[in-house]
């Protein structure tokens, strides 16, 4: 079991390094989720895989069955040594008990929070309202929120969409799985790194789901910064079984939001998993060589004579009785008149080879055979006990007629040629099919590359427009400050002269909108939330427009636009 833990830890380490180097910053978040979960399963399965190789071991020539083996008796020392294995297992089970209790305690804690606090059902999810300040987090269909902020509508819709994505994508199942594995392999440091990677990838998935709802990326990032800052929450983070916004991973999440991985890159990274799995199977599986022994190996007997067991079929009492009957029959004949049939000799040799020393000592002596002068030399015996003069097997039968052999060979060759031709035609068909598939795949990949290049150009153009808009906003800010200074100067001069101050001119709508957006303002048109760009377009389009700006305390301003 110790070897299994070491192999499993090595497999998990290789999987994690591969993920950290090639996959973490890629935008293929669903694939990464499957990869991390499969890495945990495969690292536990691969060490259990065993490949067997069956080897035929030939009989040793120098083995003498009736020789007396010299058996050496080894005595163990009476001094008992300290059992380190039991100590290590004791420490392991103590760790399992500690982390198991912690895991169950977290489950009970979440269950108590659900039962003891008010709940509001909305959009198929259940909002659990807590009295203390807490960062929003999710456990299955339950979203835990601060009661005061929820009732005052202080929680942005983007945060709720983020938590809803956690619930709909069942991220809690992944966390329960990794937490359960952590209980079993608590001593493996890689399991904690994998758990962090899984939780971070959950945040990537939830961020992508929010942005796909049409939320502006810049606004969403500002909201994440506001709601993930630790000083906003009085209770320390302790929701190990829930999905929550994590402040420490904000920078990484912002980077991944801007990253786009092409399908070609995704395909190449996926194909690299094949040699990685081959390496795992070659390095961390078990290889066993199974020897199929037909005769006792003398070296193995000498190495361990006490524990050696014959790996062949042993002679039964019925077989020994049959051997004694045949041997007694042939021993009763004179040597000059002794003739043993081939089948009888083969049967006696077969049974004799499978008899133990005790069975041979209690049985009839193997019949001595007189070999004729003109007979071919007998084969080398496989066993040396009473088998010195075994009659060799009969000669092979006469070969068939040459013409018949030639005709059979010709037919066999023709049949093989036809089989090869069919195989070649089948292989050619497969090659043509593969070529058509490859050409279609290449065309599809080229089309996707062109599409990706077009999307990249549009993304670059959008980034440039965003930078240009920011520069314009900065320029307008400078102009506003200059106008404010000029107004103050004029006010001071008019106060000195005693002239009443004129009312300030109304702000230019587009500049005012940008200033309000910078302060976190939210725009509504006919009761529907819109972006800054859409609000500016409505103002520039002309017509009768009513603009109502309201702000309560330190809350963000609310701009309502109506058209008459």
């Amino acid at each position: 079991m110790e070897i299994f833990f070491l192999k499993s830890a090595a497999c998990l380490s290789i999987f994690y390094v591969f993920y950290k180097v090639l996959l973490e910053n890629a935008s293929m978040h669903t694939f990464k989720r499957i990869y991390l979960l499969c890495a945990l399963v495969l690292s536990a399965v691969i060490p259990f895989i065993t490949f067997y190789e069956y080897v035929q071991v030939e009989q040793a020539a120098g083995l003498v069955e009736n020789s007396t083996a010299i058996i050496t008796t080894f005595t163990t020392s009476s001094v008992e040594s300290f059992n380190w294995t039991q100590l290590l297992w004791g420490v392991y089970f103590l760790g399992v008990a500690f982390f198991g209790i912690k895991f169950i305690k977290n489950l009970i804690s979440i269950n108590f929070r659900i039962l003891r606090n008010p709940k509001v059902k909305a959009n198929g999810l259940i909002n659990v309202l807590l009295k203390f300040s807490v960062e929003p987090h999710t456990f299955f269909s339950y979203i835990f929120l601060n009661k005061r902020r929820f009732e005052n509508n202080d929680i942005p819709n983007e945060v709720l969409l983020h938590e809803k994505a956690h619930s709909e994508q069942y991220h809690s199942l992944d966390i329960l799985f990794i937490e359960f594995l952590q209980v079993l392999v608590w001593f493996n440091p890689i399991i904690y790194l994998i758990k962090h990677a899984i939780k971070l990838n959950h945040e990537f998935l939830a961020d992508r789901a929010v942005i796909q709802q049409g939320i502006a990326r810049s606004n969403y990032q500002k909201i994440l910064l506001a709601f993930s800052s630790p000083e906003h929450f009085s209770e320390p983070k302790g929701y190990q079984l829930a999905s929550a916004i994590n402040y420490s991973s904000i920078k990484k999440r912002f980077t991944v939001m801007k990253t786009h991985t092409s399908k070609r890159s995704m395909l190449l990274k996926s194909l690299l998993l094949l040699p990685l799995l081959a390496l795992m199977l070659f390095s961390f599986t078990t290889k066993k060589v199974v020897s199929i022994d037909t005769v006792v190996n003398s070296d193995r007997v000498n190495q361990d004579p006490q524990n050696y067991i014959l790996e062949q079929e042993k002679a039964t009492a019925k077989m020994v009785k049959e051997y004694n009957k045949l041997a007694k029959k042939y021993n009763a004949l004179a040597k000059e008149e002794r003739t043993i049939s081939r089948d009888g000799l083969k049967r006696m040799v077969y049974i004799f080879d499978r008899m133990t020393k005790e069975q041979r000592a209690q049985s009839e002596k193997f019949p001595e055979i007189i070999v004729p002068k003109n007979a071919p030399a007998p084969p080398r015996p496989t066993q040396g006990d009473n088998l010195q003069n075994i009659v060799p097997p009969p000669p092979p039968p006469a070969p068939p007629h040459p013409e018949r052999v030639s005709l059979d060979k010709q037919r066999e060759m023709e049949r093989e040629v036809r089989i090869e031709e069919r195989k070649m035609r089948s292989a050619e068909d497969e090659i043509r099919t593969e070529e058509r598939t490859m050409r279609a795949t290449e065309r599809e990949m080229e089309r996707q590359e062109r599409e990706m290049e077009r999307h990249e150009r549009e993304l670059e153009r959008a980034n440039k427009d965003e930078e240009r808009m920011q520069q314009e906003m900065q320029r307008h800010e400078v102009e506003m400050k200059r106008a404010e200074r000029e107004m103050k100067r004029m006010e001071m001069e008019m106060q000195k002269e005693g002239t009443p101050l004129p009312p300030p001119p109304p702000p230019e709508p587009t500049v005012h909108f940008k200033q309000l957006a910078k302060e976190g303002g939210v725009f509504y048109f006919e009761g529907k939330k819109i972006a800054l760009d859409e609000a500016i377009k409505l103002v520039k389009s002309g017509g009768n427009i009513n603009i109502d700006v309201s702000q309560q305390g330190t809350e963000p301003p609310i701009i309502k636009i109506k058209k008459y």
Side-chain angles (χ1 to χ4, degrees):
M1 187 59 71
E2 294 86 350
I3 300 299
F4 163 75
F5 283 136
L6 292 175
K7 287 184 177 181
S8 178
C11 289
L12 197 58
S13 301
I14 295 175
F15 279 124
Y16 178 74
V17 170
F18 182 86
Y19 174 82
K20 198 71 177 176
V21 173
L22 294 178
L23 299 179
E24 186 179 47
N25 292 328
S27 60
M28 41 200 292
H29 307 312
T30 304
F31 176 82
K32 292 191 296 183
R33 181 184 182 185
I34 298 172
Y35 171 86
L36 290 170
L37 295 176
C38 290
L40 293 170
V41 176
L42 290 176
S43 62
V45 171
I46 288 177
F48 279 118
I49 298 176
T50 302
F51 293 100
Y52 291 93
E53 180 182 358
Y54 295 91
V55 178
Q56 183 81 23
V57 179
E58 295 183 358
Q59 174 183 343
L63 181 64
V64 179
E65 288 289 338
N66 289 332
S67 61
T68 303
I70 301 175
I71 301 176
T72 304
T73 304
F74 297 93
T75 59
T76 58
S77 175
S78 60
V79 180
E80 295 183 0
S81 60
F82 185 77
N83 196 332
W84 290 99
T85 303
Q86 290 184 358
L87 176 63
L88 293 176
W89 278 109
V91 173
Y92 168 75
F93 285 115
L94 283 176
V96 169
F98 173 77
F99 285 96
I101 293 172
K102 187 178 179 182
F103 177 67
I104 296 172
K105 182 181 177 182
N106 289 333
L107 284 175
I108 295 174
S109 175
I110 288 182
N111 189 41
F112 281 170
R113 292 180 191 276
I114 295 172
L115 295 176
R116 296 179 178 178
N117 291 280
K119 294 173 282 293
V120 177
K121 191 171 183 180
N123 298 325
L125 302 176
I126 301 174
N127 298 322
V128 181
L129 306 182
L130 307 177
K131 296 179 181 180
F132 48 82
S133 181
V134 62
E135 102 180 41
H137 57 280
T138 305
F139 184 72
F140 288 103
S141 61
Y142 295 95
I143 301 179
F144 297 85
L145 304 169
N146 176 255
K147 182 178 180 182
R148 180 183 59 82
R149 302 188 68 151
F150 178 79
E151 292 176 348
N152 295 336
N153 294 326
D154 292 342
I155 301 177
N157 186 47
E158 290 80 356
V159 174
L160 298 177
L161 288 175
H162 180 95
E163 298 304 324
K164 182 180 179 182
H166 280 306
S167 176
E168 291 179 345
Q169 297 177 14
Y170 299 102
H171 294 168
S172 298
L173 287 176
D174 300 356
I175 296 177
L176 286 177
F177 177 65
I178 186 66
E179 290 288 343
F180 177 74
L181 286 183
Q182 182 182 322
V183 172
L184 300 179
V185 290
W186 56 268
F187 55 86
N188 186 357
I190 306 299
I191 199 74
Y192 301 93
L193 299 177
I194 291 288
K195 181 172 76 170
H196 174 74
I198 288 175
K199 288 188 175 183
L200 183 59
N201 190 60
H202 287 172
E203 300 304 321
F204 295 158
L205 287 165
D207 292 340
R208 184 178 66 181
V210 173
I211 294 175
Q212 287 177 350
Q213 296 290 329
I215 306 300
R217 188 176 62 195
S218 58
N219 292 338
Y220 179 60
Q221 291 175 350
K222 291 178 183 178
I223 293 172
L224 283 181
L225 284 173
F227 264 79
S228 60
S229 180
E231 59 266 16
H232 286 81
F233 310 105
S234 60
E235 182 168 311
K237 299 179 182 181
Y239 306 100
Q240 299 182 0
L241 303 182
S243 299
I245 298 177
N246 194 339
Y247 181 76
S248 61
S249 62
I250 288 295
K251 184 177 180 181
K252 171 75 73 175
R253 290 165 61 184
F254 285 2
T255 303
V256 173
M257 282 184 200
K258 299 179 182 179
T259 304
H260 179 78
T261 305
S262 64
K263 291 188 177 180
R264 185 174 184 180
S265 177
M266 292 169 61
L267 179 62
L268 291 175
K269 291 178 179 180
S270 302
L271 291 177
L272 287 176
L273 285 174
L274 297 178
L276 181 67
L277 288 175
L279 174 65
M280 299 286 190
L281 292 173
F282 179 79
S283 303
F284 301 110
T285 53
T286 303
K287 291 86 177 175
K288 287 188 178 180
V289 178
V290 179
S291 300
I292 305 176
D293 295 339
T294 58
V295 183
V296 180
N297 187 301
S298 61
D299 293 336
R300 292 163 63 188
V301 174
N302 293 334
Q303 290 173 5
D304 194 1
Q306 287 180 313
N307 299 327
Y308 182 76
I309 300 175
L310 280 176
E311 298 179 8
Q312 63 181 8
E313 179 187 358
K314 294 183 180 180
T316 62
K318 184 177 179 180
M319 294 170 66
V320 173
K321 184 177 179 181
E322 180 184 359
Y323 166 79
N324 287 331
K325 182 178 179 181
L326 292 172
K328 187 175 182 180
K329 172 184 174 182
Y330 292 118
N331 282 331
L333 299 174
K335 294 183 180 180
E336 294 78 8
E337 300 176 359
R338 189 175 296 168
T339 303
I340 303 177
S341 66
R342 182 177 62 184
D343 293 338
L345 178 61
K346 184 178 179 181
R347 183 62 178 167
M348 283 195 298
V349 172
Y350 176 82
I351 298 174
F352 190 84
D353 284 344
R354 283 150 182 78
M355 292 168 60
T356 63
K357 293 180 181 180
E358 292 78 8
Q359 289 174 329
R360 292 181 184 181
Q362 298 173 5
S363 303
E364 291 285 337
K365 183 180 178 181
F366 197 92
E368 185 179 353
I369 302 170
I370 303 300
V371 182
K373 295 181 180 180
N374 297 329
R380 195 178 190 88
T382 59
Q383 309 254 347
D385 214 11
N386 298 327
L387 297 176
Q388 290 84 356
N389 297 319
I390 295 178
V391 175
H401 195 274
E403 295 180 359
R404 181 67 180 174
V405 173
S406 176
L407 181 61
D408 292 342
K409 286 185 177 179
Q410 183 178 357
R411 291 176 178 173
E412 181 67 22
M413 291 177 64
E414 291 176 354
R415 188 177 67 83
E416 292 178 356
V417 167
R418 288 194 296 271
I419 293 173
E420 290 297 328
E421 288 178 351
R422 285 196 295 270
K423 289 182 179 179
M424 289 180 65
R425 285 195 296 270
S426 176
E428 289 174 356
D429 293 339
E430 291 179 359
I431 291 172
R432 284 193 292 269
T433 303
E434 289 292 333
E435 289 177 351
R436 288 194 295 269
T437 305
M438 290 180 64
R439 285 196 295 270
T441 304
E442 289 175 356
R443 288 194 296 269
E444 180 65 19
M445 290 181 67
E446 290 175 357
R447 186 187 66 78
Q448 292 178 358
E449 286 179 359
R450 290 193 298 270
E451 187 70 16
M452 290 304 301
E453 290 175 357
R454 184 178 65 81
H455 283 304
E456 288 176 359
R457 288 195 298 269
E458 292 178 355
L459 185 61
E460 291 177 359
R461 191 180 304 112
N463 290 335
K464 290 180 181 179
D465 292 341
E466 186 177 352
E467 291 176 359
R468 186 163 52 251
M469 185 178 296
Q470 290 178 356
Q471 293 174 359
E472 186 179 351
M473 289 180 64
Q474 292 175 358
R475 182 173 59 81
H476 283 300
E477 288 177 3
V478 173
E479 293 177 357
M480 288 291 293
K481 290 179 180 179
R482 187 183 301 113
E484 288 177 0
R485 289 195 298 270
E486 184 66 21
M487 288 292 297
K488 288 180 180 180
R489 186 183 62 79
M490 291 177 63
E491 288 176 0
M492 292 175 63
E493 290 178 357
M494 295 179 70
Q495 286 177 358
K496 290 179 181 180
E497 297 175 358
T499 307
L501 296 176
E508 202 277 324
T510 57
V511 177
H512 193 204
F513 280 6
K514 292 175 182 178
Q515 182 66 26
L516 292 173
K518 187 176 180 182
E519 296 175 2
V522 182
F523 297 87
Y524 292 91
F525 176 68
E526 301 294 343
K528 182 180 178 182
K529 186 178 178 181
I530 61 174
L532 173 63
D533 297 338
E534 296 178 0
I536 293 175
K537 287 181 180 179
L538 287 172
V539 173
K540 289 183 176 180
S541 63
N544 296 324
I545 294 177
N546 181 26
I547 302 173
D548 181 16
V549 181
S550 60
Q551 185 174 12
Q552 297 180 358
T554 59
E555 297 295 329
I558 298 175
I559 304 96
K560 297 180 180 179
I561 304 173
K562 294 183 180 180
K563 218 171 187 181
Y564 296 100

